Amino acid sequence: MNHLHKYFRDLYLGVTTISIGMAVTFRHLFTRAVTVQYPHEKLTYPPRARTMLVTDIDSCNGCLQCSRACPVEIIHIQTVKVQPEDNPPDMPDGKPRKLHVVQFDVEMSKCIHCGLCTEICSTGSIHWENQHEEVSYARDGLFRDWSSYPLDERKRLLDRDAVIKAEKAKKAAEAAAAKEAAAAKESVEKPAPKPVESKETSPKAESKVNKEGETPQPPVTENGKEDA
Ligand code: SF4
Ligand code: SF4
């Protein structure tokens, strides 16, 4: 009798639990799916999702803030001062461009996606883009070179900058040497200052010496102690 009772009880539990599970399945058949068929379908990430970095190089002013903020030092930027003959395009906000960004490299394979570079950038130039599918069998595959200057133009600008800086340094050294020479000449022409009299030979000290050439001693009392 006990076996028969257990049999029917298990049958009942099996039918009811399967029915509950199937009811949940049928309920979701007619609601919107929460999964997508990746890679045929892709989600749009939230605006601040830390996906992959990208730079709008035209709006970069070369301030180096992102490079300084990066804790793993993977942003390498080189700039060259704009000269009057260059006449580069203005910044997107209409202000004149002051620096050529001749190098803007990022080693994305080492990026820890901390977001410090994007937060500190005042122009919004470096930012996250809406995709994360960056894979490579080699580290070089994730190396980013975002400078818009051709290689020969970068070299020309860097060489010119080196010449300008060398000339400036030379002029500064010459000016410092001339200043030093003028100071030396002035010190030679200036009359020597009068010697300062020492305390022992000053009139005040002399007044303390009596005619016999002895310094007056304080009077001595009967007890042999000096008078106050
Ligand atoms: S997000 Fe990457 S590149 Fe930017 S500061 Fe962090 S580690 Fe450096
Ligand atoms: S990306 Fe932004 S923070 Fe970095 S150098 Fe350009 S303007 Fe400055």
Side-chain angles (χ1 to χ4, degrees):
M1 186 63 188
N2 273 347
H3 290 298
L4 199 62
H5 178 259
K6 187 175 181 304
Y7 172 78
F8 281 110
R9 188 171 164 274
D10 288 350
L11 189 66
Y12 169 76
L13 285 175
V15 169
T16 50
T17 51
I18 288 175
S19 302
I20 291 168
M22 290 309 290
V24 172
T25 304
F26 278 113
R27 198 164 63 238
H28 281 91
L29 272 182
F30 305 105
T31 54
R32 196 173 66 84
V34 292
T35 54
V36 293
Q37 298 298 312
Y38 182 84
H40 307 295
E41 290 175 48
K42 291 174 186 172
L43 293 172
T44 301
Y45 295 104
R48 297 184 66 195
R50 295 176 191 174
T51 47
M52 295 300 286
L53 285 171
V54 71
T55 296
D56 174 14
I57 198 68
D58 288 339
S59 63
C60 173
N61 58 20
C63 67
L64 304 182
Q65 292 296 326
C66 55
S67 173
R68 290 183 186 131
C70 180
V72 285
E73 300 178 357
I74 57 168
I75 303 178
H76 312 292
I77 300 173
Q78 256 187 311
T79 56
V80 170
K81 203 171 174 190
V82 168
Q83 299 301 321
E85 68 269 19
D86 294 343
N87 200 21
D90 288 343
M91 298 291 293
D93 60 3
K95 289 179 184 167
R97 185 175 292 278
K98 293 180 181 166
L99 296 168
H100 298 288
V101 183
V102 292
Q103 183 193 6
F104 198 126
D105 303 337
V106 179
E107 300 170 68
M108 275 307 290
S109 61
K110 297 180 188 170
C111 178
I112 57 172
H113 297 259
C114 64
L116 291 178
C117 55
T118 59
E119 284 169 25
I120 206 163
C121 180
S122 58
T123 62
S125 174
I126 190 163
H127 57 274
W128 302 111
E129 65 177 342
N130 187 34
Q131 68 99 6
H132 67 279
E133 298 152 316
E134 294 280 339
V135 287
S136 171
Y137 286 109
R139 286 187 179 179
D140 291 354
L142 291 176
F143 186 81
R144 298 282 176 272
D145 177 358
W146 282 319
S147 174
S148 58
Y149 290 79
L151 287 179
D152 53 347
E153 182 65 359
R154 295 181 199 185
K155 186 174 179 317
R156 186 188 74 78
L157 290 171
L158 284 169
D159 289 348
R160 185 190 69 178
D161 197 49
V163 171
I164 291 171
K165 280 179 182 163
E167 279 173 8
K168 265 190 185 171
K170 192 179 165 193
K171 278 183 189 166
E174 284 172 359
K179 198 175 171 188
E180 209 173 292
K185 194 179 170 191
E186 195 180 325
S187 68
V188 168
E189 287 170 357
K190 208 172 172 182
K194 282 184 180 177
V196 180
E197 290 176 334
S198 65
K199 259 186 175 181
E200 287 75 19
T201 55
S202 69
K204 205 173 176 184
E206 273 174 8
S207 68
K208 289 181 181 174
V209 179
N210 61 21
K211 283 179 184 173
E212 286 77 34
E214 291 170 359
T215 305
Q217 297 298 317
V220 179
T221 61
E222 286 176 15
N223 302 337
K225 288 183 182 172
E226 288 178 5
D227 235 349

Coordinates of all heavy atoms in Angstrom, one line a residue, residues 67-146:
S67 N 48.1 62.3 -21.7 CA 49.4 61.5 -21.6 C 49.9 61.5 -20.2 O 50.4 60.5 -19.7 CB 50.4 62.1 -22.6 OG 51.6 61.5 -22.4
R68 N 49.8 62.7 -19.5 CA 50.3 62.8 -18.1 C 49.4 62.0 -17.2 O 49.8 61.5 -16.2 CB 50.3 64.3 -17.7 CG 51.5 65.0 -18.5 CD 51.6 66.4 -18.0 NE 52.5 67.1 -18.8 CZ 52.3 68.3 -19.4 NH1 51.2 68.9 -19.3 NH2 53.3 68.9 -20.1
A69 N 48.1 62.0 -17.5 CA 47.1 61.3 -16.6 C 47.2 59.8 -16.7 O 46.8 59.1 -15.7 CB 45.7 61.8 -16.9
C70 N 47.7 59.3 -17.8 CA 47.6 57.8 -18.0 C 48.5 57.1 -17.0 O 49.7 57.3 -16.9 CB 48.1 57.5 -19.4 SG 48.0 55.7 -19.7
P71 N 48.0 56.2 -16.1 CA 48.8 55.6 -15.1 C 49.8 54.5 -15.6 O 50.7 54.2 -15.0 CB 47.8 54.9 -14.2 CG 46.5 54.8 -15.0 CD 46.5 55.9 -16.0
V72 N 49.5 54.0 -16.8 CA 50.4 53.0 -17.4 C 51.3 53.6 -18.5 O 52.0 52.8 -19.2 CB 49.6 51.8 -17.9 CG1 49.1 50.9 -16.8 CG2 48.4 52.2 -18.8
E73 N 51.2 54.9 -18.7 CA 52.1 55.6 -19.7 C 52.1 55.0 -21.0 O 53.2 54.7 -21.6 CB 53.5 55.7 -19.1 CG 53.5 56.4 -17.7 CD 54.9 56.4 -17.1 OE1 55.8 55.9 -17.7 OE2 55.0 57.0 -16.0
I74 N 50.9 54.9 -21.6 CA 50.9 54.3 -23.0 C 50.4 55.3 -24.0 O 50.3 54.9 -25.2 CB 49.9 53.1 -23.0 CG1 48.5 53.5 -22.5 CG2 50.4 51.9 -22.2 CD1 47.4 52.5 -22.8
I75 N 50.2 56.6 -23.6 CA 49.9 57.6 -24.6 C 51.1 58.4 -24.9 O 51.7 59.0 -24.0 CB 48.7 58.5 -24.1 CG1 47.5 57.7 -23.7 CG2 48.4 59.5 -25.1 CD1 46.4 58.5 -23.2
H76 N 51.6 58.4 -26.1 CA 52.8 59.1 -26.5 C 52.5 60.2 -27.5 O 52.0 59.9 -28.6 CB 53.8 58.1 -27.1 CG 54.0 56.9 -26.3 ND1 54.6 56.8 -25.1 CD2 53.6 55.6 -26.6 CE1 54.6 55.6 -24.6 NE2 54.0 54.8 -25.5
I77 N 52.7 61.4 -27.0 CA 52.4 62.6 -27.9 C 53.6 63.5 -28.1 O 54.4 63.7 -27.1 CB 51.3 63.4 -27.2 CG1 50.0 62.6 -27.0 CG2 50.9 64.6 -28.0 CD1 48.9 63.2 -26.2
Q78 N 53.8 63.9 -29.3 CA 54.9 64.9 -29.6 C 54.2 66.1 -30.3 O 53.4 65.9 -31.3 CB 55.9 64.3 -30.5 CG 57.2 63.9 -29.7 CD 58.3 63.5 -30.7 OE1 58.0 62.6 -31.5 NE2 59.4 64.0 -30.6
T79 N 54.6 67.3 -29.9 CA 54.0 68.4 -30.6 C 55.1 69.4 -31.0 O 56.2 69.4 -30.5 CB 53.1 69.2 -29.6 OG1 53.8 69.6 -28.5 CG2 51.9 68.4 -29.2
V80 N 54.8 70.2 -32.1 CA 55.7 71.1 -32.6 C 55.0 72.5 -32.7 O 53.8 72.5 -33.1 CB 56.2 70.7 -34.0 CG1 57.0 71.8 -34.7 CG2 57.0 69.4 -33.9
K81 N 55.7 73.5 -32.2 CA 55.0 74.8 -32.2 C 54.7 75.3 -33.7 O 55.6 75.2 -34.6 CB 56.0 75.8 -31.5 CG 55.3 77.0 -31.0 CD 56.2 77.8 -30.1 CE 55.5 79.1 -29.7 NZ 56.4 80.0 -29.1
V82 N 53.6 75.9 -33.9 CA 53.2 76.4 -35.2 C 54.0 77.7 -35.4 O 54.0 78.5 -34.6 CB 51.7 76.6 -35.2 CG1 51.3 77.5 -36.4 CG2 50.9 75.3 -35.2
Q83 N 54.6 77.8 -36.6 CA 55.3 79.0 -37.0 C 54.4 79.8 -37.9 O 53.4 79.3 -38.6 CB 56.6 78.6 -37.7 CG 57.5 77.8 -36.9 CD 58.0 78.5 -35.6 OE1 58.2 79.7 -35.6 NE2 58.1 77.8 -34.5
P84 N 54.7 81.1 -38.1 CA 53.8 82.0 -38.9 C 53.6 81.5 -40.3 O 52.5 81.7 -40.9 CB 54.5 83.4 -38.8 CG 55.3 83.3 -37.6 CD 55.7 81.9 -37.4
E85 N 54.6 80.9 -40.9 CA 54.5 80.5 -42.3 C 53.7 79.2 -42.5 O 53.3 78.8 -43.6 CB 55.9 80.3 -42.9 CG 56.7 79.1 -42.4 CD 57.6 79.4 -41.2 OE1 57.3 80.5 -40.5 OE2 58.5 78.7 -40.9
D86 N 53.3 78.5 -41.4 CA 52.6 77.2 -41.5 C 51.1 77.4 -41.9 O 50.6 76.6 -42.7 CB 52.6 76.5 -40.1 CG 54.1 76.0 -39.8 OD1 54.9 76.0 -40.7 OD2 54.3 75.7 -38.6
N87 N 50.5 78.3 -41.3 CA 49.1 78.6 -41.6 C 48.2 77.3 -41.5 O 47.6 76.9 -42.5 CB 48.9 79.2 -43.0 CG 47.6 79.9 -43.1 OD1 47.0 80.2 -42.1 ND2 47.2 80.1 -44.4
P88 N 48.2 76.6 -40.4 CA 47.4 75.3 -40.3 C 45.9 75.6 -40.1 O 45.5 76.8 -39.8 CB 47.9 74.7 -39.0 CG 48.3 75.8 -38.2 CD 48.8 76.9 -39.1
P89 N 45.0 74.7 -40.4 CA 43.6 74.9 -40.2 C 43.3 75.2 -38.7 O 44.0 74.7 -37.8 CB 42.9 73.6 -40.6 CG 44.0 72.6 -40.6 CD 45.3 73.3 -40.9
D90 N 42.3 76.1 -38.5 CA 42.0 76.4 -37.1 C 41.4 75.2 -36.3 O 41.0 74.2 -36.9 CB 40.9 77.5 -37.1 CG 41.6 78.9 -37.5 OD1 42.8 79.0 -37.4 OD2 40.8 79.8 -37.9
M91 N 41.3 75.4 -35.0 CA 40.7 74.3 -34.2 C 39.2 74.3 -34.5 O 38.6 75.3 -35.0 CB 40.9 74.6 -32.7 CG 42.3 74.7 -32.2 SD 43.0 73.0 -32.2 CE 42.1 72.2 -31.0
P92 N 38.4 73.2 -34.2 CA 37.0 73.2 -34.5 C 36.2 74.3 -33.8 O 35.2 74.7 -34.3 CB 36.6 71.8 -34.0 CG 37.8 71.0 -34.0 CD 38.9 71.9 -33.7
D93 N 36.7 74.8 -32.7 CA 36.0 75.9 -32.0 C 36.3 77.3 -32.5 O 35.9 78.3 -32.0 CB 36.2 75.8 -30.5 CG 37.7 76.0 -30.1 OD1 38.5 76.2 -31.0 OD2 38.1 75.9 -28.9
G94 N 37.1 77.3 -33.6 CA 37.5 78.6 -34.3 C 38.7 79.2 -33.8 O 39.2 80.2 -34.3
K95 N 39.3 78.7 -32.7 CA 40.5 79.3 -32.2 C 41.7 78.9 -33.0 O 41.7 77.8 -33.6 CB 40.8 78.8 -30.7 CG 39.8 79.4 -29.7 CD 40.1 78.9 -28.4 CE 39.0 79.5 -27.4 NZ 39.0 78.8 -26.1
P96 N 42.8 79.8 -33.1 CA 43.9 79.4 -34.0 C 44.7 78.2 -33.3 O 44.8 78.1 -32.1 CB 44.8 80.7 -34.0 CG 44.3 81.5 -32.8 CD 42.9 81.1 -32.6
R97 N 45.2 77.3 -34.2 CA 45.9 76.2 -33.7 C 47.4 76.6 -33.3 O 48.0 77.4 -34.1 CB 46.0 75.1 -34.8 CG 46.7 73.8 -34.4 CD 46.6 72.8 -35.5 NE 45.2 72.4 -35.7 CZ 44.6 71.4 -35.0 NH1 45.3 70.9 -34.0 NH2 43.4 71.1 -35.2
K98 N 47.8 76.2 -32.1 CA 49.1 76.7 -31.7 C 50.2 75.6 -31.8 O 51.4 75.9 -31.8 CB 49.1 77.1 -30.2 CG 48.2 78.3 -30.0 CD 48.2 78.7 -28.6 CE 47.3 80.0 -28.4 NZ 47.0 80.2 -27.0
L99 N 49.7 74.3 -31.9 CA 50.7 73.2 -31.9 C 50.3 72.2 -33.0 O 49.1 71.9 -33.2 CB 50.7 72.5 -30.6 CG 51.2 73.2 -29.4 CD1 50.9 72.5 -28.1 CD2 52.7 73.5 -29.4
H100 N 51.3 71.7 -33.7 CA 51.1 70.5 -34.6 C 51.3 69.3 -33.8 O 52.3 69.1 -33.1 CB 52.2 70.5 -35.7 CG 52.3 71.7 -36.6 ND1 51.3 71.9 -37.5 CD2 53.2 72.7 -36.7 CE1 51.6 73.0 -38.2 NE2 52.7 73.5 -37.7
V101 N 50.3 68.4 -33.8 CA 50.4 67.1 -33.1 C 51.0 66.1 -34.1 O 50.3 65.4 -34.8 CB 49.0 66.6 -32.6 CG1 49.2 65.3 -31.8 CG2 48.4 67.7 -31.7
V102 N 52.3 66.0 -34.0 CA 53.0 65.2 -35.0 C 53.1 63.7 -34.6 O 53.5 62.8 -35.4 CB 54.4 65.7 -35.3 CG1 54.4 67.0 -36.0 CG2 55.3 65.8 -34.0
Q103 N 52.8 63.4 -33.3 CA 52.8 62.0 -32.8 C 51.7 61.9 -31.8 O 51.6 62.7 -30.9 CB 54.1 61.7 -32.2 CG 54.1 60.2 -31.7 CD 55.3 59.9 -30.8 OE1 56.0 60.7 -30.4 NE2 55.5 58.6 -30.5
F104 N 50.8 60.9 -32.0 CA 49.8 60.6 -31.0 C 49.6 59.1 -31.1 O 48.8 58.6 -31.9 CB 48.5 61.3 -31.3 CG 47.5 61.4 -30.2 CD1 47.0 62.6 -29.7 CD2 47.1 60.2 -29.5 CE1 46.2 62.7 -28.6 CE2 46.3 60.3 -28.4 CZ 45.8 61.5 -28.0
D105 N 50.3 58.4 -30.3 CA 50.3 56.9 -30.3 C 49.7 56.4 -29.0 O 49.9 57.0 -27.9 CB 51.7 56.3 -30.4 CG 52.4 56.8 -31.6 OD1 51.7 57.2 -32.6 OD2 53.7 56.7 -31.6
V106 N 48.9 55.3 -29.1 CA 48.4 54.7 -27.9 C 48.6 53.2 -28.0 O 48.2 52.6 -29.1 CB 46.9 55.0 -27.7 CG1 46.3 54.3 -26.5 CG2 46.6 56.5 -27.6
E107 N 49.2 52.6 -27.0 CA 49.4 51.1 -27.0 C 48.1 50.5 -26.3 O 48.1 50.2 -25.1 CB 50.6 50.7 -26.2 CG 51.9 51.4 -26.8 CD 53.1 51.2 -25.8 OE1 53.5 50.0 -25.7 OE2 53.5 52.2 -25.3
M108 N 47.1 50.2 -27.1 CA 45.8 49.8 -26.6 C 45.9 48.4 -25.9 O 45.1 48.1 -25.1 CB 44.8 49.7 -27.7 CG 44.0 51.0 -27.9 SD 43.3 51.8 -26.5 CE 42.0 50.7 -26.1
S109 N 46.9 47.6 -26.3 CA 47.1 46.3 -25.7 C 47.4 46.4 -24.2 O 47.2 45.4 -23.4 CB 48.1 45.5 -26.4 OG 49.4 46.1 -26.3
K110 N 47.9 47.6 -23.7 CA 48.3 47.7 -22.3 C 47.2 48.6 -21.6 O 47.4 48.8 -20.4 CB 49.6 48.4 -22.2 CG 50.8 47.6 -22.8 CD 52.1 48.4 -22.6 CE 53.2 47.7 -23.3 NZ 54.4 48.6 -23.3
C111 N 46.2 49.0 -22.3 CA 45.2 49.9 -21.6 C 44.4 49.2 -20.6 O 44.0 48.1 -20.8 CB 44.3 50.5 -22.7 SG 43.0 51.6 -22.1
I112 N 44.3 49.8 -19.4 CA 43.5 49.2 -18.3 C 42.1 49.8 -18.3 O 41.4 49.5 -17.3 CB 44.2 49.4 -17.0 CG1 44.4 50.8 -16.7 CG2 45.5 48.6 -16.9 CD1 45.0 51.1 -15.3
H113 N 41.7 50.6 -19.3 CA 40.4 51.1 -19.4 C 39.9 51.9 -18.1 O 38.8 51.7 -17.7 CB 39.4 50.0 -19.7 CG 39.7 49.4 -21.1 ND1 39.0 49.6 -22.2 CD2 40.6 48.5 -21.4 CE1 39.5 48.9 -23.2 NE2 40.5 48.2 -22.8
C114 N 40.8 52.7 -17.6 CA 40.5 53.4 -16.4 C 39.7 54.7 -16.7 O 39.0 55.2 -15.8 CB 41.8 53.8 -15.6 SG 42.8 54.9 -16.5
G115 N 39.8 55.2 -17.9 CA 39.1 56.3 -18.3 C 39.6 57.7 -17.9 O 39.0 58.7 -18.1
L116 N 40.8 57.7 -17.2 CA 41.4 59.0 -16.8 C 41.6 59.9 -17.9 O 41.5 61.1 -17.8 CB 42.6 58.7 -16.0 CG 42.4 58.1 -14.6 CD1 43.8 57.8 -13.9 CD2 41.5 58.9 -13.7
C117 N 42.1 59.4 -19.1 CA 42.5 60.2 -20.2 C 41.2 60.9 -20.8 O 41.3 62.1 -21.2 CB 43.2 59.4 -21.3 SG 42.3 57.9 -21.8
T118 N 40.1 60.2 -20.8 CA 38.9 60.7 -21.4 C 38.3 61.8 -20.5 O 37.7 62.8 -20.9 CB 37.8 59.7 -21.6 OG1 37.5 59.0 -20.4 CG2 38.3 58.6 -22.6
E119 N 38.5 61.6 -19.2 CA 37.9 62.5 -18.2 C 38.7 63.9 -18.2 O 38.1 64.9 -18.0 CB 37.9 61.9 -16.8 CG 36.7 60.9 -16.7 CD 36.8 60.1 -15.4 OE1 37.4 60.6 -14.4 OE2 36.3 59.0 -15.4
I120 N 40.0 63.8 -18.4 CA 40.8 65.0 -18.3 C 40.8 65.8 -19.6 O 41.2 67.0 -19.6 CB 42.2 64.7 -17.8 CG1 42.8 65.9 -17.1 CG2 43.1 64.2 -19.0 CD1 44.0 65.5 -16.2
C121 N 40.5 65.2 -20.7 CA 40.6 65.9 -22.0 C 39.6 67.0 -22.1 O 38.4 66.8 -22.0 CB 40.4 64.9 -23.1 SG 40.5 65.7 -24.7
S122 N 40.1 68.3 -22.2 CA 39.2 69.4 -22.2 C 38.4 69.6 -23.5 O 37.4 70.3 -23.5 CB 40.0 70.7 -21.9 OG 41.0 70.8 -22.9
T123 N 38.9 69.0 -24.6 CA 38.2 69.2 -25.9 C 37.3 68.0 -26.3 O 36.7 68.0 -27.3 CB 39.3 69.4 -27.0 OG1 40.1 68.2 -27.1 CG2 40.2 70.6 -26.7
G124 N 37.4 66.9 -25.5 CA 36.6 65.7 -25.8 C 37.2 65.0 -27.0 O 36.6 64.1 -27.6
S125 N 38.5 65.3 -27.3 CA 39.1 64.6 -28.4 C 39.3 63.1 -28.2 O 38.9 62.3 -29.1 CB 40.5 65.3 -28.6 OG 41.2 64.6 -29.7
I126 N 39.8 62.7 -27.1 CA 40.0 61.3 -26.8 C 38.7 60.8 -26.1 O 38.3 61.4 -25.1 CB 41.3 61.0 -26.1 CG1 41.6 59.5 -26.0 CG2 41.3 61.6 -24.7 CD1 43.0 59.1 -25.7
H127 N 38.1 59.8 -26.6 CA 36.9 59.3 -26.0 C 36.7 57.8 -26.4 O 37.4 57.2 -27.1 CB 35.7 60.1 -26.5 CG 35.6 60.2 -28.0 ND1 36.2 61.0 -28.8 CD2 34.9 59.4 -28.9 CE1 36.0 60.8 -30.1 NE2 35.1 59.8 -30.2
W128 N 35.6 57.2 -25.7 CA 35.3 55.8 -26.0 C 34.4 55.7 -27.2 O 33.6 56.6 -27.4 CB 34.5 55.2 -24.8 CG 35.3 55.3 -23.5 CD1 35.0 56.1 -22.4 CD2 36.4 54.6 -23.1 NE1 35.9 55.9 -21.4 CE2 36.8 55.0 -21.8 CE3 37.3 53.7 -23.8 CZ2 37.9 54.5 -21.2 CZ3 38.4 53.2 -23.1 CH2 38.7 53.6 -21.8
E129 N 34.6 54.7 -28.0 CA 33.7 54.5 -29.1 C 32.8 53.3 -28.9 O 33.1 52.4 -28.0 CB 34.5 54.3 -30.4 CG 35.3 53.0 -30.5 CD 36.0 52.9 -31.8 OE1 35.6 53.6 -32.8 OE2 37.0 52.2 -31.9
N130 N 31.7 53.2 -29.6 CA 30.7 52.2 -29.3 C 31.0 50.8 -29.9 O 30.3 50.3 -30.7 CB 29.3 52.7 -29.9 CG 28.2 51.8 -29.4 OD1 28.3 51.2 -28.4 ND2 27.3 51.6 -30.3
Q131 N 32.2 50.3 -29.6 CA 32.5 49.0 -30.0 C 33.7 48.4 -29.2 O 34.5 49.2 -28.7 CB 32.8 48.9 -31.5 CG 34.1 49.6 -31.9 CD 35.2 48.6 -32.1 OE1 35.0 47.4 -32.0 NE2 36.4 49.1 -32.3
H132 N 33.7 47.1 -29.0 CA 34.7 46.5 -28.2 C 35.5 45.4 -28.9 O 36.3 44.8 -28.3 CB 34.1 45.9 -26.9 CG 33.2 44.8 -27.2 ND1 31.9 44.9 -27.7 CD2 33.4 43.4 -27.2 CE1 31.4 43.7 -28.0 NE2 32.3 42.8 -27.7
E133 N 35.2 45.2 -30.1 CA 35.7 44.0 -30.8 C 37.1 44.3 -31.4 O 37.3 44.6 -32.5 CB 34.8 43.6 -32.0 CG 33.4 43.2 -31.5 CD 32.4 43.5 -32.5 OE1 32.4 44.5 -33.2 OE2 31.5 42.6 -32.7
E134 N 38.1 44.4 -30.5 CA 39.5 44.6 -30.9 C 40.3 43.4 -30.4 O 40.5 43.2 -29.2 CB 40.0 45.9 -30.2 CG 39.3 47.2 -30.7 CD 39.8 47.7 -32.0 OE1 40.9 47.3 -32.4 OE2 39.0 48.4 -32.7
V135 N 40.7 42.6 -31.4 CA 41.5 41.4 -31.0 C 42.7 41.4 -32.0 O 42.6 41.9 -33.1 CB 40.7 40.1 -31.1 CG1 39.7 40.0 -30.0 CG2 40.0 40.0 -32.4
S136 N 43.7 40.8 -31.5 CA 44.9 40.7 -32.4 C 45.8 39.5 -31.8 O 45.8 39.3 -30.6 CB 45.7 42.0 -32.4 OG 46.9 41.8 -33.0
Y137 N 46.5 38.9 -32.7 CA 47.4 37.8 -32.3 C 48.7 38.4 -31.9 O 49.6 37.8 -31.2 CB 47.6 36.8 -33.4 CG 46.5 35.9 -33.7 CD1 45.7 36.0 -34.8 CD2 46.1 34.9 -32.7 CE1 44.6 35.2 -35.0 CE2 45.0 34.1 -32.9 CZ 44.3 34.3 -34.0 OH 43.2 33.5 -34.2
A138 N 49.0 39.7 -32.2 CA 50.3 40.4 -31.8 C 49.9 41.7 -31.2 O 48.9 42.3 -31.4 CB 51.1 40.6 -33.1
R139 N 50.8 42.1 -30.3 CA 50.6 43.4 -29.6 C 50.5 44.6 -30.5 O 49.8 45.5 -30.3 CB 51.7 43.6 -28.6 CG 51.6 42.7 -27.4 CD 52.6 43.1 -26.3 NE 52.4 42.2 -25.2 CZ 53.1 42.2 -24.1 NH1 54.1 43.1 -24.0 NH2 52.9 41.4 -23.1
D140 N 51.3 44.5 -31.6 CA 51.4 45.6 -32.6 C 50.0 45.8 -33.2 O 49.7 46.9 -33.7 CB 52.4 45.3 -33.7 CG 53.8 45.3 -33.2 OD1 54.0 45.7 -32.0 OD2 54.7 45.0 -33.9
G141 N 49.2 44.7 -33.2 CA 47.9 44.9 -33.8 C 47.0 45.8 -33.1 O 46.0 46.3 -33.7
L142 N 47.3 46.1 -31.8 CA 46.5 47.1 -31.1 C 47.2 48.4 -30.9 O 46.8 49.2 -30.0 CB 46.1 46.5 -29.7 CG 45.1 45.3 -29.8 CD1 44.9 44.7 -28.4 CD2 43.8 45.7 -30.4
F143 N 48.2 48.6 -31.6 CA 48.9 49.9 -31.6 C 48.1 50.9 -32.4 O 47.8 50.7 -33.5 CB 50.3 49.7 -32.1 CG 51.2 51.0 -32.0 CD1 51.8 51.2 -30.8 CD2 51.4 51.8 -33.0 CE1 52.6 52.3 -30.6 CE2 52.2 53.0 -32.9 CZ 52.8 53.2 -31.7
R144 N 47.9 52.1 -31.8 CA 47.1 53.1 -32.5 C 48.0 54.3 -32.8 O 48.7 54.8 -31.9 CB 46.0 53.6 -31.6 CG 45.0 52.6 -31.3 CD 44.0 52.3 -32.5 NE 43.1 51.2 -32.2 CZ 43.4 49.9 -32.5 NH1 44.5 49.6 -33.0 NH2 42.4 49.0 -32.2
D145 N 48.0 54.7 -34.1 CA 48.8 55.9 -34.5 C 47.8 56.9 -35.1 O 47.3 56.7 -36.2 CB 49.8 55.5 -35.6 CG 50.6 56.7 -36.1 OD1 50.3 57.8 -35.7 OD2 51.5 56.5 -36.9
W146 N 47.4 57.9 -34.3 CA 46.3 58.8 -34.7 C 46.8 60.1 -35.2 O 45.9 61.0 -35.6 CB 45.4 59.0 -33.4 CG 44.5 57.9 -33.1 CD1 43.8 57.1 -34.1 CD2 44.2 57.4 -31.9 NE1 43.1 56.2 -33.4 CE2 43.3 56.3 -32.1 CE3 44.5 57.7 -30.6 CZ2 42.7 55.5 -31.0 CZ3 44.0 56.9 -29.5 CH2 43.1 55.9 -29.8

